[in-house]
Amino acid sequence: MSSAESPGRTADKSPRQQVDRLLVGLRWRRLEEPLGFIKVLQWLFAIFAFGSCGSYSGETGATVRCNNEAKDVSSIIVLFGYPFRLHRVQYEMPLCDDDSTSKTMHLMGDFSAPAEFFVTLGIFSFFYTMAALVLYLRFHNLYTENRRFPLVDFCVTVSFTFFWLVAAAAWGKGLTDVKGATRPSSLTAAMSVCHGEEAVCSAGATPSMGLANISVLFGFINFFLWAGNCWFVFKETPWHGQGQDQGQGPSQESAAEQGAVEKQ
């Protein structure tokens, strides 16, 4: 019985042992260095950025009161959210005619491009920083000995810096347009029933855009984090070492020449 149970026990323990070995091999002190600490911040704020933008949902509305006594006050509630394809959002506009009851209308605008680019960039940043943290903590010797890894890391960091600036600025402009398109006054202005004397339209409450505004703020925070990390990643590249060698070379030669002159 013991011989039959031993293979099962070893098979059960092997995954645990592998996990223990992986955790033991991690060098957590790397997180105290700027290169690792900023990566943790990039990982967190990437989650905050695409999470706050991708999970946003809001509502706008208005009320229509027909002058005809046969019809009551109609409330219009329009729900919208990510990815902000507002031209696909439908709502029913009440009609004050006796023949018809309502007409299907749509919001105006399609702002999915900047929103989806912002969320996609956040997801890619999340996965890259997670992979970079594994490389820093578990395979740091490979990172320092192989010159290609710091160069690739530096090029990717510069690219993400540029993309975060573009994404944050584009989504900020897109969010401004979303606010204008979902404003209750814009909703009443788009309804033909509100332009005549047969009905009285009142704008509803302004949509709460706090979570969307925070997502833009997180976008610019990500830009500053990636921009600041460019220097620390650049220090790990061979280019930084070559610059120091070139700067120290003339000084050593001049010191040797001065020593030779003093001997003469």
Side-chain angles (χ1 to χ4, degrees), residues 46 49-56 80-86 110-123 163-164 166-178 209 212 215-216 219:
F50 74 78
S52 58
C53 180
S55 62
Y56 175 80
F80 64 95
Y82 179 84
F84 302 99
R85 294 188 178 94
L86 302 182
D110 183 8
F111 311 99
S112 59
E116 290 179 343
F117 178 68
F118 185 86
V119 172
T120 303
L121 182 62
I123 294 174
F163 287 140
W164 271 116
V166 174
W171 171 227
K173 176 61 171 61
L175 180 59
T176 303
D177 296 336
V178 170
M209 308 295 288
S215 67
V216 177

Side-chain angles (χ1 to χ4, degrees), residues 156-222:
V156 174
T157 303
V158 173
S159 300
F160 270 108
T161 302
F162 173 74
F163 287 140
W164 271 116
L165 178 61
V166 174
W171 171 227
K173 176 61 171 61
L175 180 59
T176 303
D177 296 336
V178 170
K179 292 178 180 178
T182 58
R183 191 178 296 115
S185 59
S186 301
L187 187 65
T188 57
M191 293 189 295
S192 59
V193 70
C194 299
H195 297 166
E197 298 179 354
E198 56 187 1
V200 177
C201 299
S202 301
T206 303
S208 177
M209 308 295 288
L211 188 62
N213 293 329
I214 292 176
S215 67
V216 177
L217 177 62
F218 285 147
F220 283 104
I221 291 176
N222 276 284

